[in-house]
Amino acid sequence: MKVWYADDALLPEGWARRVAISIDDHGDIAEVRAGADPEGAERLAGPVLPGMANLHSHAFQRAMAGLTEMRGAPDDDFWTWRELMYRFVARITPEQAQAIARHLYVEMLREGYTAVAEFHYVHNDADGAPYADRAELLLRHLAAAREAGIGVTLLPSLYRWSNFGEKPLAPRQRRFATDAAAILSMVERAHAAAGDDPDVHVGVAPHSLRAADPASLAELVAGLETIDPDAPVHIHVAEQTKEVDDCLAWSGMRPVEWLLANCGVDARWCVVHATHVVADEIATLARSGAVVGLCPTTEGNLGDGIFPLVDYRAGGGRYGVGGDSHVSRSPAEELRMLEYVQRLARRRRNLIADEASPAVGTTLWREAAAGGALALARPMGAIAAGLRADLVVLDAGHPDLAARGGDAIANALVFSGAGGLVRDVMVGGRWAVREGRHPLAERAARDYARAVAALLE
Amino acid sequence: MKVWYADDALLPEGWARRVAISIDDHGDIAEVRAGADPEGAERLAGPVLPGMANLHSHAFQRAMAGLTEMRGAPDDDFWTWRELMYRFVARITPEQAQAIARHLYVEMLREGYTAVAEFHYVHNDADGAPYADRAELLLRHLAAAREAGIGVTLLPSLYRWSNFGEKPLAPRQRRFATDAAAILSMVERAHAAAGDDPDVHVGVAPHSLRAADPASLAELVAGLETIDPDAPVHIHVAEQTKEVDDCLAWSGMRPVEWLLANCGVDARWCVVHATHVVADEIATLARSGAVVGLCPTTEGNLGDGIFPLVDYRAGGGRYGVGGDSHVSRSPAEELRMLEYVQRLARRRRNLIADEASPAVGTTLWREAAAGGALALARPMGAIAAGLRADLVVLDAGHPDLAARGGDAIANALVFSGAGGLVRDVMVGGRWAVREGRHPLAERAARDYARAVAALLE
């Protein structure tokens, strides 16, 4: 047992003063006391917040950041971005995937993410054949997460069809090709590799309604339940209006509407994007208990559109944030973009807040951490007894924290636009980042650069 | 004369290889040659781009970043933000203003801004009386810019009325109170203080159509012409729909429409925000030769709305970016936000680009640098003979530049979301930042923190 002390800490009920956090030998928080005495405890270097969950990651896309910002067709959109993604993914090796993920996870830790949900859909070798170990590429991400020291929820993704109505995959999609049985075998394989590691969780990700037919989807979810009844299920839904149109043509229903009507969506589900939803969908989704996975910087990069978060939250809806294509690795930047886009759409300020929780930075961090925790099925997302000791410690000496306490701390973190506020990051009781440094950073960056150079050759 | 060499340089016609840049003893670029020999030249540490102009700064607002993100009234908007700004500004001292500006300018230099237009409207002491030196507070910004080593265009702002129809100022606006003669005296004073310093320019800023009546505005612009016929004129216009409504009620015309009809708007003008414009205004503004000053992160923070940049640019309109309230100090972040917001509004990608300039990062950097230069009346904004030697050198060893050349460099800078890409920054032939470090950074941050703490007491 070890006790840490902070002058300011974001607890479930809000910012508290003089907080002692006891952490047991398994890396769990044993006790949290406000108004405590610093004596006998080790002082943290500044205010402390719960670690953030990155609830949606396609790690390999990190290497594409900045590579697709070239105007092609006059109607350049998401689908031209996707073309470039295919060319890129055709070549990637297991070693490169691991090097990219490792660097990414180190970057994420340094910004305050303490766990990541890896939604992984590249399963086969470059010829489309299964690797000798069916979960080869998936497990490369487990290895990368362990090297970096970040918590991980592995989500092998079922990608069976190229579009609604069971359209066969295109040749360039051969590396994705799986069926429910293959994904469930990867789940078993991932559990075996994880052992009893409390920082590894496993779920599944039917890629989307266009890539997973209803029977496969049902088989996958039912199969997962037999392995772990609480395991998370993630799915991309309604990111683009084309998907909405295609789904309507296929089923007469909108994607979120179809999902809610047919899949028993509950708190195990993470519905990623859900950008294009109408009032009925918003209300039903909010009541379902699911977490909506918002990826603000990627959705901006892809020009997806704006999720109606204010209405969804008013209906009690849960949400978290994901780096997705990793054009940002900063939870503060994701939350800032999330709020700014809501403001631009509504021409009002301070939208993700309410009377009970008026500070936007505090509200966003607390709600996204809690929602993300649920999506990852990881006991995290708050500084509270029984949860993993995932802590983000800010630099009390940073000029943007000068003379600020409580809510002003989280507001500075999210809205001052300053880098370098995150100083130390703890994952499951172990320091992953100290004084802004990660011990693996230089090596990971070098290997990453080498992998990217090889991919661009 | 000194010659610098870079493997990659963004020149007016696009990215060039093997570029030698000769800089004379006055800090001007004497010659630029592509396909040059590195022999006899000193090598830059990576790809080089022209320095960016920050065309809209209210330096003191830097200290407010993150302080106004608290939900107040249910219809929280720009105008509640403005209330907080007033409370803050009521107390600021000349020493605090200088400390805040110095830290801000150091931060901006480290991100690649090499000059700033300081739109300054706090002129009187806390009781509303003129300082012994009428330009006391304005000149604090000149001092801060010189200490930091950034180019500056001083824009004393005329703030005479509280709203359209010559509504008297409120008591809390007493520190702004000026007339055209007072502003023109500040212009003269600033010229005297600047001497023949090539890194200082002077213009004026009628604050807005609500704060400057037509006669004062005409007097100010005519008076400025007698001092310097090419000096810039900046004005806030149409940032909020309330201003549009008020202007319509006052004049029967929309703000940009009124400005274009009555003020001889030409290339000397920088029209800041111009968020709420209709098709006729967009077309006329684009033809006027004026620069639109876009402040993407501040406009997001304030929930202003989205300027129709794609249409304006299609009409030949010029633009640049400003940090405004300084919730970001990074030109890359401003440009990224600018493009992302356009994408979200139009559900398309790669919008600020065209067949002739397909790379969005290159296009945004080049156009905003050129537009910003015009707005600042500073010979900068490109790497070309006759302009100031304002250079931004990237870190060739950064993993996000691995194996990238040409357009992919600027795309990485703007869209990879990576910090630390800017390595060295030169302003008028002098290095302000080397290896990411500014010699004044620590002291400036300490003084800034002290000033903010005193203001928050």
Side-chain angles (χ1 to χ4, degrees):
Chain A
M1 187 78 71
K2 165 117 188 167
V3 185
W4 297 90
Y5 173 91
D7 284 331
D8 297 275
L10 178 55
L11 302 186
E13 56 274 20
W15 283 90
R17 292 281 296 161
R18 300 169 53 84
V19 175
I21 305 168
S22 305
I23 299 175
D24 69 22
D25 299 340
H26 306 290
D28 292 324
I29 298 174
E31 190 189 15
V32 180
R33 278 183 308 124
D37 199 304
E39 197 147 340
E42 190 160 343
R43 246 179 209 282
L44 297 169
V48 59
L49 299 90
M52 184 62 68
N54 188 326
L55 60 58
H56 191 63
S57 167
H58 305 296
F60 79 90
Q61 293 181 14
R62 169 67 184 92
M64 295 170 62
L67 279 175
T68 65
E69 318 304 320
M70 297 288 287
R71 191 171 181 84
D75 58 344
D76 212 337
D77 65 7
F78 171 87
W79 307 97
T80 59
W81 173 88
R82 193 158 159 269
E83 295 298 311
L84 283 156
M85 186 268 288
Y86 280 122
R87 296 217 286 276
F88 197 88
V89 86
R91 305 184 57 186
I92 197 165
T93 68
E95 293 73 23
Q96 289 164 348
Q98 184 172 343
I100 294 166
R102 181 172 48 210
H103 173 63
L104 167 67
Y105 297 160
V106 169
E107 291 183 296
M108 293 191 334
L109 282 163
R110 292 169 79 173
E111 301 284 350
Y113 285 121
T114 57
V116 58
E118 188 57 45
F119 188 123
H120 183 71
Y121 59 88
V122 185
H123 299 300
N124 304 321
D125 72 16
D127 298 323
Y131 284 97
D133 182 341
R134 196 67 184 86
E136 168 76 34
L137 275 169
L138 181 70
L139 294 182
R140 290 289 183 159
H141 293 81
L142 174 58
R146 282 175 157 165
E147 289 177 285
I150 197 168
V152 68
T153 297
L154 297 169
L155 301 167
S157 174
L158 172 63
Y159 201 120
R160 186 165 185 188
W161 308 105
S162 71
N163 210 344
F164 292 98
E166 307 187 10
K167 299 285 185 299
L169 293 178
R172 63 184 181 177
Q173 296 174 312
R174 63 186 175 274
R175 297 195 73 177
F176 312 159
T178 44
D179 56 22
I183 298 300
L184 290 168
S185 78
M186 291 185 210
V187 171
E188 301 274 20
R189 185 76 188 80
H191 271 293
D196 58 359
D197 187 337
D199 294 319
V200 180
H201 295 80
V202 187
V204 298
H207 177 277
S208 54
L209 295 179
R210 57 181 202 274
D213 59 278
S216 297
L217 215 166
E219 181 188 348
L220 183 65
V221 173
L224 182 70
E225 276 170 4
T226 66
I227 301 169
D228 175 359
D230 300 321
V233 181
H234 289 221
I235 187 167
H236 292 124
V237 186
E239 181 176 7
Q240 291 281 325
T241 51
K242 179 178 184 300
E243 183 192 320
V244 178
D245 297 342
D246 290 353
C247 189
L248 278 165
W250 168 67
S251 68
M253 297 171 90
R254 304 169 58 86
V256 171
E257 181 188 11
W258 192 95
L259 192 74
L260 290 166
N262 291 285
C263 294
V265 170
D266 61 16
R268 289 171 310 164
W269 285 72
C270 178
V271 179
V272 182
H273 304 305
T275 311
H276 301 289
V277 280
V278 296
D280 275 358
E281 293 174 301
I282 296 168
T284 311
L285 191 55
R287 280 195 306 270
S288 73
V291 175
V292 167
L294 300 170
C295 308
T297 63
T298 295
E299 289 157 7
N301 185 284
L302 296 179
D304 289 338
I306 301 174
F307 175 76
L309 180 58
V310 172
D311 296 335
Y312 171 73
R313 187 175 171 276
R318 289 152 150 171
Y319 64 95
V321 289
D324 193 352
S325 71
H326 305 298
V327 287
S328 169
R329 278 76 60 197
S330 159
E333 185 175 6
E334 297 294 354
L335 296 173
R336 182 164 69 243
M337 183 77 179
L338 182 56
E339 168 77 15
Y340 281 2
V341 166
Q342 298 292 317
R343 292 184 189 186
L344 285 168
R346 300 177 81 102
R347 294 188 199 155
R348 285 285 177 274
R349 300 185 76 242
N350 299 332
L351 291 166
I352 308 306
D354 48 47
E355 225 172 291
S357 186
V360 188
T362 298
T363 308
L364 282 165
W365 194 277
R366 190 167 46 183
E367 292 181 354
L374 192 63
L376 267 63
R378 175 178 167 86
M380 64 178 293
I383 299 177
L387 302 184
R388 297 297 286 158
D390 285 12
L391 303 180
V392 175
V393 181
L394 306 185
D395 177 3
H398 193 288
D400 274 289
L401 292 181
R404 300 188 195 188
D407 287 325
I409 296 167
N411 280 348
L413 175 60
V414 176
F415 292 105
S416 75
L421 275 168
V422 173
R423 186 185 188 276
D424 306 305
V425 178
M426 179 186 281
V427 180
R430 283 191 303 253
W431 291 112
V433 175
R434 299 226 71 171
E435 298 183 35
R437 290 190 197 84
H438 187 290
L440 206 64
E442 282 71 35
R443 205 194 103 200
R446 203 166 53 237
D447 292 349
Y448 169 80
R450 196 172 301 131
V452 174
L455 280 165
L456 290 177
E457 248 170 25
Chain B
M1 187 77 72
K2 163 115 189 169
V3 185
W4 298 89
Y5 172 89
D7 283 331
D8 297 275
L10 178 54
L11 302 185
E13 56 276 16
W15 283 90
R17 292 280 298 161
R18 299 169 56 82
V19 175
I21 305 167
S22 305
I23 299 175
D24 69 22
D25 299 340
H26 307 287
D28 292 325
I29 298 173
E31 191 189 14
V32 179
R33 278 183 308 122
D37 199 305
E39 196 148 343
E42 190 162 338
R43 246 178 208 281
L44 296 170
V48 60
L49 298 91
M52 184 61 68
N54 188 327
L55 60 56
H56 191 62
S57 168
H58 305 297
F60 78 91
Q61 294 181 12
R62 169 67 184 93
M64 295 170 61
L67 280 175
T68 65
E69 318 305 320
M70 295 290 284
R71 191 171 182 87
D75 58 345
D76 212 337
D77 65 5
F78 171 86
W79 306 97
T80 58
W81 173 89
R82 194 158 158 270
E83 295 298 313
L84 282 157
M85 186 268 288
Y86 280 122
R87 295 217 288 274
F88 197 88
V89 86
R91 306 185 56 184
I92 198 165
T93 67
E95 293 72 23
Q96 289 164 349
Q98 184 171 342
I100 294 166
R102 181 172 48 210
H103 173 64
L104 167 67
Y105 297 160
V106 168
E107 289 183 299
M108 291 189 336
L109 282 162
R110 292 169 79 174
E111 301 283 350
Y113 286 120
T114 57
V116 58
E118 188 57 46
F119 188 122
H120 184 71
Y121 59 88
V122 185
H123 299 300
N124 303 321
D125 71 17
D127 298 322
Y131 285 97
D133 182 342
R134 195 70 184 85
E136 168 75 35
L137 275 168
L138 181 71
L139 294 183
R140 291 287 182 161
H141 294 82
L142 174 57
R146 280 175 159 164
E147 289 176 287
I150 198 167
V152 69
T153 298
L154 296 169
L155 302 166
S157 174
L158 172 64
Y159 201 118
R160 188 166 184 187
W161 309 106
S162 71
N163 210 345
F164 292 98
E166 307 187 9
K167 300 283 184 301
L169 294 180
R172 63 185 182 178
Q173 296 174 312
R174 63 187 178 272
R175 297 195 74 175
F176 312 159
T178 44
D179 57 20
I183 299 300
L184 291 168
S185 78
M186 292 185 210
V187 170
E188 300 276 18
R189 185 73 189 79
H191 271 294
D196 58 359
D197 187 336
D199 293 319
V200 181
H201 295 81
V202 186
V204 297
H207 177 277
S208 55
L209 295 179
R210 58 180 201 272
D213 60 279
S216 296
L217 214 166
E219 181 189 348
L220 183 65
V221 172
L224 183 70
E225 277 171 3
T226 67
I227 301 169
D228 176 357
D230 299 322
V233 181
H234 289 222
I235 187 167
H236 293 124
V237 189
E239 181 177 5
Q240 291 283 324
T241 50
K242 176 178 185 304
E243 183 191 321
V244 177
D245 297 341
D246 290 353
C247 188
L248 277 165
W250 166 68
S251 69
M253 296 172 88
R254 303 169 58 86
V256 170
E257 182 187 11
W258 192 95
L259 192 75
L260 290 165
N262 291 286
C263 295
V265 170
D266 61 15
R268 289 172 310 165
W269 285 71
C270 179
V271 178
V272 182
H273 304 304
T275 310
H276 301 289
V277 281
V278 296
D280 274 0
E281 292 175 301
I282 296 168
T284 311
L285 191 57
R287 280 195 307 269
S288 73
V291 176
V292 166
L294 300 170
C295 308
T297 62
T298 295
E299 289 157 5
N301 185 284
L302 297 178
D304 290 339
I306 301 175
F307 175 77
L309 180 58
V310 172
D311 296 336
Y312 172 74
R313 187 176 172 274
R318 288 153 150 169
Y319 65 95
V321 289
D324 194 354
S325 71
H326 306 298
V327 286
S328 169
R329 280 74 63 195
S330 159
E333 185 175 5
E334 297 294 353
L335 296 172
R336 182 165 67 243
M337 183 76 179
L338 182 56
E339 168 77 14
Y340 280 2
V341 166
Q342 298 292 316
R343 291 185 189 185
L344 285 169
R346 300 178 79 103
R347 295 191 198 153
R348 286 283 177 275
R349 298 187 77 243
N350 298 332
L351 290 166
I352 308 304
D354 47 47
E355 224 171 292
S357 187
V360 187
T362 299
T363 308
L364 282 166
W365 194 278
R366 189 166 49 184
E367 294 181 353
L374 193 63
L376 267 63
R378 175 178 167 87
M380 64 177 294
I383 300 176
L387 301 185
R388 297 295 288 156
D390 285 11
L391 304 179
V392 175
V393 181
L394 305 185
D395 177 3
H398 193 288
D400 274 288
L401 293 179
R404 300 188 195 189
D407 287 323
I409 295 167
N411 280 348
L413 175 60
V414 176
F415 293 105
S416 74
L421 276 168
V422 173
R423 186 185 188 277
D424 306 305
V425 179
M426 179 186 281
V427 179
R430 283 191 303 254
W431 292 112
V433 175
R434 299 226 71 172
E435 299 184 35
R437 291 191 194 83
H438 187 291
L440 207 62
E442 281 73 33
R443 205 193 101 202
R446 204 168 49 239
D447 293 348
Y448 169 80
R450 197 172 300 131
V452 173
L455 279 165
L456 290 177
E457 249 169 26

